[in-house]
Amino acid sequence: MKKGTTGQARVHVSAPTEKLYDLVTDVTRMGEWSPETVRCEWVGGATGPAVGARFKGSNRNKFMRWSTKPRVIVAEPGSEFAFVVPAIVGSKDLTKWTYRFEPATDGGTDVTESFEIMNDLPGYINFGDRYILGIKDRKADLEANMQQTLERLKSAAEGSA
């Protein structure tokens, strides 16, 4: 994917913004919602969402497995949580992931998850997506995964409301 590519998914949840923020920013639970992320853990002394905190994400798609070490860039309780994923090799940030929580008139929350490709993805990633994993349209694949993530988040939040 090329720099500037974006995508998003959105869902309405019958729960307050603070609850959804707390669920999303407990990255140790991300494996419960995401179809691609298996687990996450705070690293480098971080224990929760704060600008500059890092966590390790372990991911799987079919038979491929990889890990990343995202860095939190926005941690505004009840409002927004965002992090960037750096390249495996080099220091460039490749993807920015953002969760926004907007209060709805019914007391619930509209949650939006989005991504932005910050630098062209390396050829080996594009090759792997297309020819090894068989993903012809990674943007559409990521948007479907984000929608599934948000639907699972909604079920968890409303089930324990």
Side-chain angles (χ1 to χ4, degrees):
M1 281 193 289
K2 295 290 184 192
K3 178 179 180 174
T5 301
T6 62
Q8 72 173 22
R10 188 174 175 99
V11 70
H12 177 77
V13 183
S14 296
T17 58
E18 296 78 13
K19 179 177 185 171
L20 289 154
Y21 178 87
D22 290 346
L23 286 170
V24 167
T25 60
D26 180 359
V27 299
T28 64
R29 296 190 66 185
M30 191 53 70
E32 295 176 41
W33 340 120
S34 172
E36 199 165 87
T37 300
V38 178
R39 73 181 161 278
C40 292
E41 61 186 340
W42 294 108
V43 296
T47 58
V51 172
R54 289 181 112 49
F55 58 94
K56 179 181 178 185
S58 299
N59 305 287
R60 179 180 63 228
N61 189 321
K62 298 179 183 164
F63 56 87
M64 299 230 359
R65 296 172 189 273
W66 68 98
S67 65
T68 60
K69 284 206 179 147
R71 182 182 77 259
V72 175
I73 59 170
V74 179
E76 297 174 6
S79 178
E80 184 175 342
F81 178 63
F83 54 89
V84 290
V85 179
I88 294 170
V89 177
S91 60
K92 286 185 178 180
D93 291 328
L94 293 182
T95 311
K96 175 183 175 184
W97 293 90
T98 303
Y99 291 85
R100 288 194 176 90
F101 311 92
E102 299 172 33
T105 55
D106 66 355
T109 303
D110 293 323
V111 182
T112 303
E113 179 181 2
S114 62
F115 74 87
E116 175 188 355
I117 303 301
M118 300 177 72
N119 286 288
D120 292 349
L121 296 185
Y124 66 87
I125 292 177
N126 293 321
F127 179 88
D129 283 348
R130 189 168 192 85
Y131 298 106
I132 296 174
L133 295 176
I135 299 170
K136 302 300 180 209
D137 184 345
R138 183 61 165 155
K139 178 184 184 299
D141 181 66
L142 289 174
E143 288 176 324
N145 285 350
M146 289 187 299
Q147 193 64 49
Q148 189 174 6
T149 297
L150 293 181
E151 294 295 338
R152 290 174 177 173
L153 176 67
K154 173 183 172 77
S155 293
E158 292 178 350
S160 61

